[in-house]
Amino acid sequence: MRIIGLSVKRIDYPMRRPFASARRASTVAQTVCVTAHLEGGVVGYGEGAPAPYVTGETVASVARDATLATDALQGLDARRIRHWGAALREALCGPTARAAVEGALLDALARTRHLSLWHWFGGAREWVETDFSLTLGPLEEVGRHAAEARAAGYRTLKIKVGGSEPEVDEARVRAVAAAAPDARLRLDANQSFTPETALRLVSRLLEAGIPVELLEQPVPKDDWEALAAVTRACPVPVIADEAVQSVAQAMCVARTGAAHGINIKLAKCGPLAALEIIAVARAAGLRLMLGCMLESLLGIGAAVHLACGTGAFDYLDLDSHALIGLEPTGRPFAQTGAVLSVDPEAPGHGWEPVATGG
Ligand SMILES: [Mg+2]
C-alpha cells in the first residue's frame, strides 16, 4: 500500500462574523487541504489551519511544506505509520503542515481498511461536548453572542480575555455571566497577562460568584516561571496552550507542574504526537483539553474522531466551524447543540470535498 503523493489546496472561508483574541483578529479562516493519494486510488484528507503567532507558520508555508513533503513520502508503505511519520519529521515540515499531511495519510489508510478513525483511535466514547468561544469584543456584543450560544445549547462558554484594560476584561466576563447565568465559563488570555493580573481577575470573579472553570495560557508561552507562579496560586485549573507544542514541552509540564493541564491542538503537533502527549499527560495526572485554530469541518472532524476515539479529554473546545458558520452534516461529524459525534461506519473520518463543500 504505497504512498503515491500529496496534493495541496488552499481554501479560505469567510467567517460568519469577525473573531478576535488577544493575539489576532480574523475575518477569514485560511486553511490548507491536503489530499493523500495511495496506490489503488484510495485518497484521504487532512487540514492545516495555521496560527502564525503560535507555530510561526502561514497558509503559504503550510502549502509549501506539505508540497515538499511529497518527495520524502513517495513510495513509502502507508501502513508503516511510524516509518513515514519519521520521514515526515525529517522533512522539516512545520507542525501545522505535518498535522495536515499526517491527518490525510491516516484518513487514507483507515479508508483502505474500511475503518473509521474513531475506531482506529480506540472507539472510547460516542460523543463529546464542546464549549463555544466568545470574541474579545465590545461587552454588549459579547453578551449578545453569549445569550445566543446558550440558547443554541452550549452549556460552557470560553471567553477571550487579555485586552488592554483589566477592568474591561472583568466587565466582559460579568456581561457573559449575566447573559448566560447558568453557563460554565472558561477564560483564555492567550499569553497576555502577568501572573498578578491573571490571579487578580480570577479571584475577583470567583468572589463575585462567577463560575470560572479554568484559565488558559495566562502568560507568555516561553515564561515557564510565570506560568508556574499562576498555577501555584490559582484556585481554578490553569491550562497550558501556546506553551505546549511538542511531547518534550508536555514532559516539561509533567515534570515541573507548571500547569494543571495541557490544551492539545492538532495544528500544534499533529495526530501522532498528540497521542504521545495524551500518554504523558495521563501518566502525570494532568488534565487535557482538545482545542482548535480556525479549522473548517474537515479539521474539526479529525479532532472529534480523536476526542471520541481516545476518550482522553476533560475539556473540548472544538467550535471554529461554528465561528465560520459551517453546519456539520454527519460526516466527518454530527452536531446537536453542543454535542459532537462521529459516524462509526464512515471509513476514515468520512469527509468528502464534493458532498460537504467544506
Ligand atoms: Mg487558547
Side-chain angles (χ1 to χ4, degrees):
M1 188 58 62
R2 301 283 158 193
I3 299 168
I4 301 296
L6 305 169
S7 50
V8 176
K9 187 179 172 192
R10 282 174 57 165
I11 305 177
D12 285 355
Y13 297 91
M15 295 182 63
R16 183 171 155 232
R17 54 196 182 205
F19 186 82
S21 72
R23 291 283 155 169
R24 65 169 176 171
S26 305
T27 53
V28 175
Q30 296 183 305
T31 71
V32 175
C33 176
V34 173
T35 306
H37 302 265
L38 306 188
E39 67 182 344
V42 176
V43 294
Y45 305 97
E47 185 177 48
Y53 79 96
V54 180
T55 70
E57 295 167 273
T58 62
V59 275
S61 79
V62 169
R64 183 198 63 216
D65 284 3
T67 304
L68 291 174
T70 301
D71 289 343
L73 297 172
Q74 238 162 10
L76 301 186
D77 187 338
R79 296 169 298 186
R80 295 180 60 191
I81 294 167
R82 301 288 169 195
H83 184 237
W84 58 251
L88 187 54
R89 279 190 169 274
E90 281 166 22
L92 299 179
C93 280
T96 302
R98 201 173 62 235
V101 174
E102 284 182 6
L105 284 167
L106 291 178
D107 181 39
L109 181 61
R111 289 178 193 227
T112 67
R113 296 292 175 267
H114 307 287
L115 186 71
S116 69
L117 277 174
W118 175 75
H119 279 115
W120 190 83
F121 285 127
R125 49 177 299 163
E126 291 175 357
W127 56 269
V128 290
E129 182 173 347
T130 183
D131 62 23
F132 184 84
S133 300
L134 299 165
T135 184
L136 187 72
L139 307 188
E140 207 172 275
E141 181 187 330
V142 174
R144 194 171 66 247
H145 293 176
E148 280 172 24
R150 185 68 195 90
Y154 293 96
R155 298 191 298 175
T156 308
L157 302 174
K158 174 163 144 172
I159 307 167
K160 292 292 190 184
V161 292
S164 48
E165 304 286 335
E167 299 74 24
V168 177
D169 278 330
E170 184 180 336
R172 187 179 308 102
V173 180
R174 285 175 179 269
V176 172
D182 59 346
R184 282 186 299 263
L185 305 182
R186 297 173 180 167
L187 308 183
D188 187 358
N190 291 104
Q191 318 179 57
S192 290
F193 286 148
T194 63
E196 296 71 30
T197 324
L199 291 167
R200 194 178 319 121
L201 176 65
V202 170
S203 62
R204 282 182 63 88
L205 292 169
L206 292 177
E207 276 163 27
I210 292 173
V212 177
E213 187 187 24
L214 59 81
L215 172 64
E216 225 182 290
Q217 195 64 49
V219 295
K221 62 183 176 182
D222 299 322
D223 196 342
W224 290 82
E225 282 299 315
L227 184 63
V230 179
T231 298
R232 276 194 299 274
C234 193
V236 301
V238 174
I239 307 297
D241 178 359
E242 288 93 324
V244 176
Q245 302 181 32
S246 67
V247 186
Q249 287 165 329
M251 271 304 298
C252 184
V253 175
R255 268 203 311 270
T256 63
H260 299 105
I262 293 170
N263 183 351
I264 295 177
K265 293 175 179 170
L266 289 174
K268 292 191 294 183
C269 63
L272 297 179
L275 294 173
E276 295 177 4
I277 294 175
I278 289 170
V280 166
R282 279 185 158 171
L286 295 170
R287 297 170 196 237
L288 275 175
M289 181 178 221
L290 186 61
C292 59
M293 300 298 189
L294 286 176
E295 289 87 352
S296 74
L297 295 173
L298 170 55
I300 294 296
V304 178
H305 277 259
L306 177 73
C308 292
T310 60
F313 295 93
D314 305 290
Y315 315 110
L316 277 300
D317 175 31
L318 299 178
D319 61 350
S320 57
H321 63 287
L323 298 174
I324 296 170
L326 298 169
E327 296 270 347
T329 54
R331 292 181 180 186
F333 68 103
Q335 178 163 11
T336 306
V339 171
L340 313 178
S341 58
V342 301
D343 177 353
E345 301 310 321
H349 48 55
W351 185 85
E352 296 293 344
V354 176
T356 66

